[in-house]
Amino acid sequence: MATKATIALTSDIVSDSLNFSTTATLTKAGGSTAIAETSGLAKTNFTNNPIQSKVIYRSDDASATGANKVYLKNVSTTAAEFFTVFIDEEEMGRLYAGDWAFFPWSATSGTKETFITTIANTWAAGDTWTFDGITITAADSTVANIATLIDDSHFPNWTTTRSTAAVTFTARHAMDAGTVVTATADIAVSTAGDGDAVVSSSALGVATESDIMIIPSVHTSMTLEHMLFHE
């Protein structure tokens, strides 16, 4: 079933009363096929002191050329409380208590950092390799097996692929170079011999230019309702 968006607007702020309703069927870019994917309706709670921003949707979440739409609502009941909405670092405006917004979004992605680490030289069972908060303990001395253990792990900020003893790391999100820690400085190796994890073919990242970021007006509890429609 196609997704439809309806707005009904009534106003008496002018001498001639305003009253209209319009409906749009949300379709993919340049066609009549309905948008098939959403993030699902969600609520994000902001409770922090000092006040901190949160990225609600990253550019990696949707296609840059897609007909993406974003719904936001401030569910606060305190009139003075508001969320400030930013796309990248450009301020769109404020959503006060009860306010909502529905707008198109070009999700222009940046470049994800990548690097390759190759397990080399002499390793032994019990040797360790540590990165991004994850520690791998070698079960034997075979470098390909150690690389497999690394590839089979789940890293908070990186995804991996493996080819023999070489593991390629790709950042989960596009960020400025160095925002995700520099790989060569963060990898720690402890071996009985001269085991090493040689880092090569690194590519620095470039930040995205259209992440949607929200800042609450107060540090007490505020809740944002939100949903992304995307291709």
Side-chain angles (χ1 to χ4, degrees), residues 43-185:
K43 288 185 177 180
T44 297
N45 182 261
F46 292 70
T47 304
N48 43 50
N49 191 5
I51 293 172
Q52 296 181 2
S53 63
K54 288 185 180 180
V55 174
I56 298 299
Y57 295 116
R58 296 186 180 274
S59 298
D60 304 329
D61 296 335
S63 169
T65 57
N68 313 305
K69 305 293 189 297
V70 176
Y71 161 76
L72 305 174
K73 182 179 180 180
N74 181 355
V75 300
S76 174
T77 57
T78 302
E81 293 182 352
F82 62 88
F83 287 109
T84 305
V85 181
F86 292 82
I87 294 185
D88 191 24
E89 296 181 2
E90 293 293 327
E91 182 176 337
M92 289 183 63
R94 297 178 176 182
L95 290 178
Y96 280 89
D99 286 350
W100 58 269
F102 187 79
F103 55 90
W105 180 43
S106 293
T108 306
S109 296
T111 303
K112 297 179 180 180
E113 290 192 52
T114 65
F115 70 92
I116 297 173
T117 184
T118 302
I119 305 303
N121 301 333
T122 304
W123 288 68
D127 290 347
T128 62
W129 175 99
T130 301
F131 174 66
D132 201 25
I134 303 298
T135 297
I136 305 302
T137 302
D140 55 42
S141 60
T142 304
V143 292
N145 291 345
I146 298 167
T148 297
L149 290 174
I150 294 172
D151 185 39
D152 287 344
S153 299
H154 301 284
F155 298 89
N157 298 301
W158 303 83
T159 61
T160 61
T161 58
R162 183 187 68 85
S163 176
T164 314
V167 182
T168 299
F169 283 75
T170 302
R172 291 187 182 274
H173 301 291
M175 297 183 183
D176 281 330
T179 302
V180 177
V181 291
T182 304
T184 52

